[in-house]
Each structure stands twice: as structure tokens, then as C-alpha cells.
Amino acid sequence: MSQGTLVKRQFGHHARLALSPAQVSKTDDQAHAARAMWNLLHAWWQMMPKEVRTLANADAAIRQAREDIDFLAVLPAQAAQAVLKTYFQAWKNCWDGRADAPNFKGRFRTVMPVDIPQGRDLNVTRVHRRWGMVSIPKVGRVRFRWTKDLPVGKRADAENRITGARLVKDALGWHIAFRVQALETTPAPHRGPEVGIDVGVTVPLALSDGETYEHGDWLTGKEQARLLHLEQRAAQRKRHRRPGERTSRRLHHTYDRIAGLRAKAKRRALDWQHQTTTAIARRYGTVVVEALTITNMVKSAKGTIEEPGRNVAQKSGLNRSIHAEAWGRTVTMLTYKTARHGGTLVKVPVPGTSRRCSACGFTVPGSRESQAVFVCKNPDCGWSGNADHNAARNVLHLYRMGLALIPAAGRAVVRRAKRVKPATAR
């Protein structure tokens, strides 16, 4: 693809909705109707013979259900069709081995999203610098936070437009996820420097040039104290509940407040990741990271009855810290952001990067004296420095040596730099 070529790009944009109490009630009713539609489809699927389970028969079944069951009418017809398509796609993902089989969705465990397949139904307009307006079927005109320029009004055409949206709910309220299609020029190759990145728990991101990206706690001291108090209250109320007794409204309310604080922490973590990865993608042309297998790193150390594990509590705490840093999400963000800025992201093998000296290249036992200090025990070297920066320099050195991981037949293989053989006289 040549530089300056126009390419079509599809991406999503997430915005917070400012719903009135009446609009919140209408949106919740649509979400519950979508969940009921999913459960009816699943029951129909289980009852029908295999030869009857076709898209046309399922479509006829949900149309009949909308006529027979009154409360399903609050869900727009196009949103009901989207539930049908999502259900069939879930079975395809199961058959391809990408997900588990679909199941019933409970009222208190699941909030179904509401799809708006047609972009023309949205009628998005910008009110002023901070807010925009969108039309939601059977809900009305709703304000949303304007944090990104969208192709609306005179800027919208056949190639640059909003193709649809989806209403999603988390513990902090309802949001809208726009599906946007844009025609953009391919970026010029990034001429920035190369950098290696080492991810960790104490230091989230350490770069080979000595720079670090760190963050504090996602919740303030008062918020952490409130979260601990709510968790203790929920545990106490759950302990006094009799077997088989339904969860009380007060316990559900406590769970909602806990989920709200955790969602706030996750939102702050996402914001930090977006800002950090954008800064790295703009500054560096080639970003080199380790090909970590995170699922293996966070396996439990509990062991078995015959061979119980050791330091189980410490390993559990480490696993929680690794999950909290979300290294995989950071790499995913770096992948598409470096591509948008004309750069590249490369993965290199993991073994030895934290134990090898980046100055002499030798791995001597005992060189890593602590979590933060690396002192090479090689008598001819003696280099000392920050352990995370040492690992990041090793990551970059592996790339410069020609070692890179490329996907091949569903697995990663090492690609080495080509070596030119010396010419020999015949």
C-alpha cells in the first residue's frame, strides 16, 4: 500500500449518556426486553429439532413472540433483529471454538445491550463544545458527552458517517457506543527512534531509554475506605441470610455501590492506559514488547491434595496485581495506535530478559539483587542499574539482533535476521 492511499477505517467511540429518570426507565425496559428475547430464543433453540433451527424460522418465532407478549413491544423491531443475529453469532463462535455455548441470561447477572443498527435513525447533532444530541428509538432525544469529533452534519457523506450504535450499561450508568466509518489516508512511516518496553507490577512500563510510566492508586483514600466498608457490610448481610432466601434489596443496593466504585477505578485505569499508549505511539517509530503468555503467569499455586502448593497467598496477591495492570490491553492499544501513526509493534521472546545483563550479555546467577536493582556479577563487567530498565534494554537488543515473533499456523515462531554467507573461491 503506497503512502497517501485512502483507506476505509471502521472504529468505535464510547460516550456517556445524560438520561433523565424517565429515559433511564425506558432504556432499562428495552434492555430487559432484549434479555427476555434472548432467553426465548434459547428456549426455542433447545426445544426445536436440529433441522428446524434456521434463521428464517427463528425470525418467525420472535415476530410471533412480539405479537403475543406485550412487554416485548418496548424493544424496537430492529433491536429485536439484532438480538437474533447476536444469538446466532454466539453459536458460530461456539462451533469455531472461540467461546462457550450460549446460555440463559439472569436478571441480576446480565444487562443486555440494545442495538441501533441504522445510523440514520440516530440523527446526531452537536449542541456545543461539551455536549451532543442523539435520537434513541422509543426513548427520545438524549444528550451525550462530546469528546471526539464525529462525522455529522456537513461532514457526513457516503464514506464518512455513523453506521449504527449500541446502548450499553455499566455500574456508572448508560453509555452509547457509536460505530463510525471514515476514509483516511495511510500515515507516512514513523521516523522516530526504537524503544523496548518492560512491563511490571511495581513499575507498570519501563522504557529502554530510561523513562518510566507510573501511576498511583485508582481510588482515593476515602474511596478505598468506603469500598472496604461496603464489602464488609455485604459480607455481614450475606452471612445472616438463611439458605434459600432471596437476596434483599438492601444487599443488592450494597452490591451496586461496590460495583460503582470498581467501575470508577477501571475507568481511571483505562484513561491512564489510553494517554500513555498514545504518547508512546506518537514518540517512537518501533515499539518492542515481550510476547507474554499472561494466562500461564496467573495460574494458581494452590496445587493438589497430594502436592499442595507453597506461598499460595503471596501468589494470589501477585496474580491480582497482574490482572489489575492489564498488560494485554496495553499491548492491544499500542498495536493499533502505532499503526495509526505509521509505526510498528514487534514482539520478542521472553526468557532471560530480566536476568541477562544488557551491557555484557551474560546471565550470571545473583545479578538481580532485588526487584529494582540489577548488578552484574560478571567480573569483567560489573554494570549496575535499574532492573526494569535493564530488562527493557534486553528486549530492544533482541529485536536489533533480528529475533522477532511472527504468527505462523496459529503459533508464534522466531524469525532470525538473514546472514550473508561469505563468498568462496571456486
Side-chain angles (χ1 to χ4, degrees):
M1 186 180 295
S2 61
Q3 178 182 343
T5 304
L6 292 175
V7 294
K8 188 179 296 185
R9 188 171 73 92
Q10 296 181 348
F11 60 94
H13 174 61
H14 204 261
R16 177 165 56 91
L17 291 173
L19 297 169
S20 66
Q23 291 173 335
V24 169
S25 178
K26 292 180 181 179
T27 312
D28 288 343
D29 290 342
Q30 290 191 14
H32 288 306
R35 180 187 57 84
M37 184 70 70
W38 174 284
N39 290 340
L40 289 173
L41 274 172
H42 190 60
W44 176 87
W45 182 277
Q46 291 182 326
M47 289 187 300
M48 292 295 108
K50 186 176 181 180
E51 60 274 8
V52 183
R53 300 172 185 171
T54 63
L55 188 62
N57 292 337
D59 180 60
I62 65 171
R63 289 178 185 271
Q64 186 63 38
R66 285 173 57 83
E67 294 179 2
D68 297 340
I69 305 175
D70 294 337
F71 76 89
L72 293 180
V74 301
L75 186 66
Q78 293 181 345
Q81 294 294 322
V83 174
L84 173 62
K85 294 179 181 179
T86 304
Y87 183 78
F88 270 71
Q89 184 62 44
W91 274 114
K92 290 181 181 179
N93 294 339
C94 174
W95 295 332
D96 295 339
R98 298 193 299 267
D100 294 333
N103 206 339
F104 288 99
K105 295 186 179 295
R107 178 179 178 85
F108 296 106
R109 300 189 305 271
T110 308
V111 177
M112 282 286 292
V114 180
D115 203 78
I116 308 174
Q118 301 295 334
R120 62 175 179 267
D121 297 335
L122 297 170
N123 191 20
V124 179
T125 58
R126 186 171 186 177
V127 180
H128 53 78
R129 184 172 63 91
R130 290 176 177 263
W131 293 95
M133 295 288 289
V134 58
S135 295
I136 299 177
K138 296 193 175 185
V139 175
R141 296 288 287 174
V142 180
R143 290 194 308 161
F144 68 92
R145 289 287 294 178
W146 190 280
T147 56
K148 183 181 181 66
D149 288 335
L150 299 173
V152 298
K154 296 181 179 179
R155 297 180 54 191
D157 53 31
E159 302 295 341
N160 301 273
R161 58 193 176 91
I162 297 176
T163 59
R166 173 172 287 188
L167 304 178
V168 293
K169 186 179 183 180
D170 62 5
L172 298 177
W174 281 99
H175 301 75
I176 186 168
F178 293 104
R179 292 188 290 270
V180 185
Q181 173 184 297
L183 197 64
E184 299 180 354
T185 58
T186 56
H190 201 302
R191 302 299 181 184
E194 303 168 345
V195 66
I197 298 179
D198 176 69
V199 295
V201 174
T202 306
V203 179
L205 296 178
L207 276 57
S208 57
D209 58 3
E211 190 171 353
T212 59
Y213 289 91
E214 302 181 43
H215 60 76
D217 295 330
W218 302 125
L219 295 177
T220 64
K222 291 184 178 180
E223 290 171 340
Q224 292 180 6
R226 190 183 311 133
L227 178 61
L228 178 61
H229 173 68
L230 290 172
E231 290 175 341
Q232 291 174 345
R233 179 189 296 177
Q236 182 181 10
R237 289 176 175 172
K238 186 176 179 180
R239 184 170 61 250
H240 289 288
R241 188 178 60 180
R242 291 187 295 271
E245 184 181 0
R246 294 184 62 180
T247 305
S248 65
R249 291 181 178 269
R250 282 197 282 184
L251 183 54
H252 274 303
H253 180 65
T254 305
Y255 285 152
D256 291 340
R257 295 179 64 184
I258 292 173
L261 286 172
R262 290 176 178 172
K264 185 179 293 186
K266 182 179 179 180
R267 180 179 292 183
R268 291 170 182 171
L270 276 171
D271 181 67
W272 180 85
Q273 282 185 310
H274 274 293
Q275 293 190 28
T276 302
T277 53
T278 300
I280 294 174
R282 287 175 177 173
R283 182 175 178 182
Y284 300 99
T286 302
V287 179
V288 189
V289 298
E290 296 174 303
L292 296 173
T293 307
I294 302 176
T295 54
N296 294 339
M297 298 175 63
V298 296
K299 285 185 177 179
S300 175
K302 187 179 296 184
T304 61
I305 298 178
E306 294 78 11
E307 297 181 1
R310 296 184 300 175
N311 299 326
V312 178
Q314 293 86 335
K315 184 62 170 65
S316 299
L318 177 61
N319 292 347
R320 286 193 296 269
S321 300
I322 293 174
H323 281 301
E325 292 299 331
W327 297 335
R329 190 167 60 204
T330 300
V331 173
T332 301
M333 291 181 180
L334 283 173
T335 302
Y336 73 82
K337 290 183 179 183
T338 51
R340 287 192 62 187
H341 289 84
T344 56
L345 182 132
V346 183
K347 295 183 179 181
V348 296
V350 179
T353 54
S354 61
R355 299 188 300 271
R356 187 184 310 116
C357 177
S358 59
C360 66
F362 285 94
T363 302
V364 182
S367 295
R368 187 159 184 171
E369 295 187 346
S370 65
Q371 183 68 25
V373 179
F374 186 94
V375 179
C376 183
K377 300 300 182 180
N378 184 5
D380 298 330
C381 179
W383 180 86
S384 63
N386 184 273
D388 298 313
H389 294 155
N390 175 73
R393 291 173 59 179
N394 284 328
V395 169
L396 180 60
H397 182 64
L398 289 176
Y399 166 72
R400 290 175 174 174
M401 287 179 59
L403 296 176
L405 294 177
I406 57 175
R411 58 187 179 89
V413 297
V414 178
R415 178 180 61 188
R416 296 183 178 273
K418 295 182 179 179
R419 297 181 179 180
V420 180
K421 296 182 178 180
T424 55
R426 295 186 179 179

